[in-house]
Structures are given as structure tokens and as C-alpha cells.
Amino acid sequence: MTQGDVFKAFCAWRTNAKDFATLSGLDENYPVQVAQTIQKASPAAYDLMALALLMSVPDTAWSVIEKRFGKERMDKLDEAWKHVRTGYTYAEQASDEVKGLAMGAAIVAFDKLIKTAGELGTTLSLQDLGESPVQILHAVRMPECKMYARLEDKLKGTAYPELEKAYTAKLAEYLDARKEMDAQLSEIGIGDDDEKDEAEIHALRFEDHGLFDAPEVRQAYEILNHDTRVTAVPLAAALSIGRLMSDLAGPKNPATIAAGMLDAGLTRRTPDDNQFLAKKLPPAVMDILGKYNISDACMESAAPIADAPEPVRQLAVAKGIVSLDWARKESENLMEFLERRQKLMDSNVAAEMKAESLQPLRMLLKIIPEALAPIHNKTGSKELDQIFDAHLKDMNQFVAAHAPAAAAANGNRTILRMRRPGSGPTI
């Protein structure tokens, strides 16, 4: 490509800038910022600059753009968007141009956070407006930076060595800024518990998790550990399901264990993901992921999997057990949080908030047994069925024991909505 092509791409960006901003939620100048970053590091990388600018063009206009730039350029644009939609998780499968685009976008994101870190004193004025620690963390942290920081090993050996150097240098600068930001937040009592939990999980080896040792399970574990979008809660849930299925007596089905882990951990899995995953996983795993919706079976109705192989039915029940476990932990954490602060609250308000903390578990105790009724005691594993029944009994006793009397007298009327700062969602 030539400078003339970059100018034509710039004109295409200018035509679509406002629509791009509306649809993406990004600043309309973002494609230009990425192109400028690429130009600074690799002045002759006209192909990358043009690609960055063309990212603003909606797919409904691609046929028009194809006439100006050719099918090969549109194929690169299509490839780039597939990697954007999957968080560049599979960047090792990307072309050099898409890797280059990722590096340019990463540098822009890192620069933004570095600037935010330098102005943290101003940003923290949010606290004076009554924002919670979670809201403050969301305001000053940028999830895309965390995503881009995980790509370093996937972006090496491209046709753009100078851009690679710029990415590596900016990554180091970003990590220093994050450390300084975290230290300042810690001084005022704001920390990211989920991020700490995630770091602890990543620090362990496959052998430390009690998973059945098979190539399929190891591959699923590696995918979850390197997905740029997976956070602490779904990662821990995936490992819990893997352990539960691995601990059951009798023959193991590695493909089912692997599929169950991926289903729980890749909560934002898309058709684009499946295309990339098919290049990494054996057909038996992809067959389960493609044919059966374990989440729907657990939360809506297991009727569609009533005739599925027994390991698949076991997987749905295992997900139900793990979901109940996580809901209970969430309730326990919220109640602990309230107990530390109950002296500062009116007793009736404290009772209402304690009742509210039990609501996620109450809801799942109604939804999950009803959803799994079509396969209850039909998993082929008496051990798993007994575990599920024991969990239901235990969870109902837990709710009965912790439901405040005041709230019960009120018919468990819910008037407040709150979450423990730093808590993750139930699954």
C-alpha cells in the first residue's frame, strides 16, 4: 500500500467517524490515534495505518470499500474484527497485520491509563460523590489494558519489529503506572479482590488443581489461562466443575470435562471463538460445545439434553452444584461485610440488607432444581446425584438459619440493592 491508500482510508474514516463512535462506544478519533501510533513506530507501515482507519467502516459498507481497496484488504478487515470480538485471545493465529493492529491499539490504551494514573488525585474526587470502591476501580482501571498486557508472547516475530519494540516499551511503562496506581488506591483502602484471586489461580500449575490429567483437559486449562477476557469468578467456576467431574468414581470422559470447563469459563464465547477453538481442540470437545447448551440446561430446562450421553447430563448437574456453591459464598461474603458494619446501621435496615444478601441463593434454589428436574437421578452417576441432593438440603438449611426474623415478618420484602465491594457476580 501507499500513502495515497492511507489518505483514501482516512477519508473513509472521516465519513464514518460519528457512526463508529456511536456503535463502538470509543472516541471517534480512536482509529486515527491508532494509525498515528503505528506511523510513529513504523513510518512505512501504510498497510497497518490504512487497516486501523478502515476499522471505522461498518460491515454494511464493506462492499463499497472493497471496490476501492480490493478483496484482500476486506479479508484483513474481516479477520481483524474477528480478533477484536474475541479480545485478541487467539492472536497467535492472526496475520502479521492484525498483530500489528493489536500492538497499535494496545499502545493507545496504555497511554490513556498512564495519563489517568498521573491524574489519579483528580480522578479520586469520585469518592467525594459517594461512589463505591468498585465504581472507583472501574473508573480508573481500563479492562482493555489488562487484555493487551496479556498479549506480549503472542505478538513476537512479526514483520513490524519497531512496532514490537514500541509495544514492549509501552507495556513496561504501563505496568509501572499500574503499580503506582494500585499503591495509591491501597492507601485509601481500595483493592481489587477479584484480581488478587485471579493472580493466585494463575500462579498454580495444572497439577495443583486436582484435574483429571488428559490432553483435552490440559488444553482446556491452557485456553482458560491465556484467554484475555477470563476473570477470577468464571475461571474458578471452570476449575470447580473440572475438579468435581474429575473426582467422580468410575471411568472419566476427558472431552466432557474439558467442554464443561470451557463452557463455564468462556462466558462470552461467540461463533468467532468456536472457529478459533476448533483449531486447538479435538472434535469430541467441539462436538459437545456445539451440540449442547449446558448453561440453559442448568438454568432454564434440561429437557433438551434428557437424551444426551450420560457425561453431558452429569455436566449440567455439576454446573448446578457449583453455581449453588458460588451463590452461597456470595451470600456469606455479603453477610460478613454487613456484620462488620452493623453497628453503624439501623437494626431494621441491617436486617433488610441481610435478607437481600440471601436473595441470589434463594433464587437459584428455586431455578436450578426445576431446570434439572428432567434429568434428576438420571445422570448415570449415583454419587453425583447424591451430592446434588445433599447440596440442596444444605443450602436450604443455610438460608433458613440466616434469614433475619425481621425480614421474615415483612414477608422478605426487598427494599435495598447492594453488593460487597469487590465481589464478583454469581454464576
Side-chain angles (χ1 to χ4, degrees), residues 74-113:
M74 290 302 98
D75 288 343
K76 290 296 180 186
L77 188 59
D78 182 43
E79 180 197 358
W81 271 114
K82 286 180 179 178
H83 283 282
V84 170
R85 287 192 294 265
T86 54
Y88 287 109
T89 289
Y90 315 98
E92 75 280 356
Q93 297 182 33
S95 64
D96 278 5
E97 285 175 294
V98 173
K99 290 178 181 179
L101 182 68
M103 288 187 279
I107 292 170
V108 171
F110 292 155
D111 268 334
K112 186 177 178 182
L113 184 133

Side-chain angles (χ1 to χ4, degrees), residues 117 124 156 275 279 300 303 339 355 364 406 414:
L124 289 180
K156 294 179 178 179
Q275 288 182 31
K279 298 177 182 179
E300 295 183 17
E339 286 171 4
L364 290 185
T414 299

Side-chain angles (χ1 to χ4, degrees), residues 121-339:
T122 303
T123 306
L124 289 180
S125 64
L126 286 171
Q127 193 176 34
D128 298 328
L129 301 176
E131 300 286 1
S132 73
V134 171
Q135 290 168 314
I136 293 174
L137 277 173
H138 181 74
V140 300
R141 295 260 182 88
M142 298 170 194
E144 66 271 22
C145 287
K146 185 176 178 181
M147 172 187 79
Y148 288 128
R150 291 181 171 182
L151 296 179
E152 187 175 19
D153 292 337
K154 300 181 180 184
L155 302 176
K156 294 179 178 179
T158 70
Y160 312 103
E162 295 305 316
L163 189 56
E164 288 183 39
K165 291 179 183 177
Y167 167 81
T168 301
K170 191 61 67 174
L171 172 60
E173 192 177 344
Y174 154 74
L175 293 174
D176 287 341
R178 269 296 304 269
K179 286 180 182 178
E180 179 61 27
M181 177 183 284
D182 290 345
Q184 293 181 61
L185 291 171
S186 180
E187 287 179 3
I188 59 172
I190 297 176
D192 193 333
D193 292 337
D194 286 346
E195 193 161 286
K196 292 177 182 176
D197 292 343
E198 186 180 339
E200 290 177 3
I201 293 173
H202 283 302
L204 299 175
R205 303 171 304 160
F206 174 87
E207 291 79 9
D208 298 324
H209 290 289
L211 300 169
F212 181 61
D213 196 347
E216 300 94 327
V217 181
R218 280 186 175 270
Q219 186 62 40
Y221 177 77
E222 286 301 311
I223 288 170
L224 291 170
N225 263 288
H226 292 91
D227 192 293
T228 61
R229 303 156 297 174
V230 174
T231 55
V233 171
L235 179 58
L239 293 171
S240 295
I241 288 174
R243 276 193 296 271
L244 180 55
M245 295 290 289
S246 297
D247 288 342
L248 294 178
K252 313 298 180 191
N253 188 309
T256 306
I257 296 173
M261 291 171 61
L262 293 168
D263 175 80
L266 302 182
T267 55
R268 292 184 284 172
R269 195 173 86 249
T270 68
D272 290 320
D273 282 278
N274 291 340
Q275 288 182 31
F276 291 120
L277 288 172
K279 298 177 182 179
K280 292 185 165 193
L281 295 164
V285 178
M286 293 306 301
D287 186 57
I288 295 170
L289 289 174
K291 280 186 178 179
Y292 307 107
N293 191 322
I294 303 302
S295 295
D296 282 358
C298 178
M299 296 296 176
E300 295 183 17
S301 174
I305 68 165
D307 296 324
E310 287 181 347
V312 174
R313 283 178 265 159
Q314 292 170 14
L315 202 52
V317 174
K319 182 155 189 173
I321 292 169
V322 171
S323 297
L324 288 171
D325 278 341
W326 277 92
R328 174 170 175 163
K329 289 176 184 176
E330 181 82 351
S331 294
E332 289 175 337
N333 288 337
L334 284 165
M335 284 190 286
E336 180 184 344
F337 174 72
L338 290 170
E339 286 171 4

